[in-house]
Amino acid sequence: MNKLKSLCLLFFSMLKIGLFTFGGGYAMINLLENEFASKKKWLDHDEFMDLVAIAESTPGPIAINCATYIGYKKEKIIGSITATLGMIIPSFLIIYLISLFFNQFLAITWVASAFKGIQVCVVFLILSAGLKMLKKIKKTPFTLSIFSLTFLCMIIFSLFAVSFSSVFYILISGSIGILMYAINCIKNNHNGVKK
């Protein structure tokens, strides 16, 4: 009975986020953190930051990857299936209904105006999630260097209209992180041998 209650809570928590969040995965990050790290305490903030990094680095939408992980953490495989379904059902149904009447739907003046307002709100939600994550990242010379270089590259590439996929930013940053880890391991082993 407790497992069923936990699965229902998981499903309806994800359903609520999937139903009331516009703007995709990045806009959902703030809500996911608030719901599962701050309110329900299913994850701590450091684990949530790691989850976002992993969800961003793996194939598939970030919100669904997060939902799958949280579901697995709570109730293993059945939890991951339940959480994932809860997250995707609202989007699937809404997009399906809109696709049936897409042209008629956009022809309604108040709907078009609502979408313009939502677009502005989505930018704020993504920016808010990014700033919140930036505040919680451990400020070390390494993380600040990676952040500064990535930010600088993004600005320069945008100004000069250079096409550079965000996947490359992730792969390069991850590779640098692994390289730094390997260098630290070698240093520690070398210092241990010297003693």
Side-chain angles (χ1 to χ4, degrees), residues 30-92:
N30 208 10
L31 289 171
L32 287 166
E33 182 181 19
N34 188 46
E35 184 74 20
F36 302 115
S38 299
K39 286 184 184 174
K40 290 188 170 64
K41 307 282 186 202
W42 289 354
L43 307 166
D44 61 35
H45 290 287
D46 287 342
E47 186 179 11
F48 184 79
M49 295 296 287
D50 291 340
L51 167 61
V52 170
I54 291 166
E56 174 58 35
S57 306
T58 52
I62 189 170
I64 294 173
N65 291 346
C66 286
T68 304
Y69 174 84
I70 292 166
Y72 187 81
K73 182 173 181 190
K74 287 296 293 170
E75 294 294 338
K76 302 299 177 205
I77 290 175
I78 190 72
S80 65
I81 293 167
T82 303
T84 303
L85 284 173
M87 185 64 79
I88 64 172
I89 285 173
S91 300
F92 175 78

Side-chain angles (χ1 to χ4, degrees), residues 180-195:
M180 291 302 293
Y181 174 75
I183 290 169
N184 284 337
C185 285
I186 291 167
K187 275 185 186 176
N188 291 340
N189 286 341
H190 184 67
N191 290 341
V193 170
K194 267 188 170 182
K195 290 177 184 177

